[in-house]
Amino acid sequence: MRFHSAPVIRLVDAKPVQLGHAAGADGAWRIYAFADSRNPQDPASRIGALCKFLDTDKSPIKRFTPSGADIDSVIDVRAIFQQGHRDLAVTGMPPVLLPKKGRFGLIDYEKMFCPDLKAGTDIFEMRGVNRGQGCMVVVRPDQYIAHVLPLHGFDALAGFFAGFMIEAG
């Protein structure tokens, strides 16, 4: 099944966007992490634990991204939080959601989204995501869903990508 777009609010500037249109046609895999109900900056949050894992050497991002390439050039992580955009601060978010990219190492602030509660289009309800647990949706470069995992499914995520990708040198 294709990963269908849905309206969300981009956290950094409160701009309404379509989640499926936020990703470019660049050949990268996508991990859409639908956060659990805790604040993402809470050390006990599942999304925080996922982001911490994705920043380790065991992460498929670190294992399969060539050195010198932008960190999101092979696997691009996007987070969708349950809180409204006014309830979260961009500062202090996990580094994997604020990657430094390009020649000048500029921070990409466009990786985090919130439900469009004002318009009444809650992506968590639209997609049937468990609010207590959250989930990861792995999307192929052609926008088809390849896998759905729990936020704590670190080994399954690493194993999925290890099944067909070649480690970067």
Side-chain angles (χ1 to χ4, degrees):
M1 172 182 274
R2 286 185 65 81
F3 183 75
H4 295 286
S5 190
V8 291
I9 302 292
R10 192 168 50 209
L11 177 60
V12 71
D13 59 1
K15 180 179 180 183
V17 296
Q18 288 287 322
L19 184 60
H21 301 173
D26 55 8
W29 286 75
R30 303 279 188 285
I31 299 172
Y32 291 96
F34 288 85
D36 56 316
S37 56
R38 291 183 183 266
N39 184 312
Q41 295 170 334
D42 180 342
S45 75
R46 291 176 189 247
I47 189 76
L50 172 64
C51 290
K52 192 178 280 188
F53 166 74
L54 292 174
D55 218 11
T56 68
D57 290 338
K58 294 181 181 180
S59 160
I61 294 172
K62 301 279 181 144
R63 290 177 56 198
F64 304 116
T65 302
S67 63
D70 283 338
I71 195 67
D72 62 355
S73 62
V74 176
I75 301 170
D76 180 16
V77 179
R78 310 275 172 144
I80 304 92
F81 304 120
Q82 293 186 37
Q83 295 82 0
H85 67 278
R86 288 185 176 93
D87 301 324
L88 296 172
V90 174
T91 56
M93 287 294 183
V96 75
L97 298 176
L98 294 166
K100 294 180 180 177
K101 300 170 36 177
R103 182 174 159 195
F104 298 110
L106 299 176
I107 297 173
D108 182 352
Y109 288 100
E110 299 183 2
K111 305 278 186 192
M112 299 171 282
F113 304 90
C114 300
D116 190 354
L117 300 174
K118 186 176 181 181
T121 52
D122 184 350
I123 190 167
F124 285 82
E125 287 181 21
M126 292 172 68
R127 300 293 179 252
V129 175
N130 181 305
R131 289 185 171 280
Q133 303 295 315
C135 73
M136 288 184 272
V137 179
V138 180
V139 178
R140 301 182 328 203
D142 63 359
Q143 297 299 307
Y144 278 84
I145 296 171
H147 212 339
V148 178
L149 297 165
L151 285 177
H152 63 276
F154 310 144
D155 292 336
L157 180 68
F160 172 76
F161 284 109
F164 60 90
M165 286 194 166
I166 299 171
E167 292 209 30

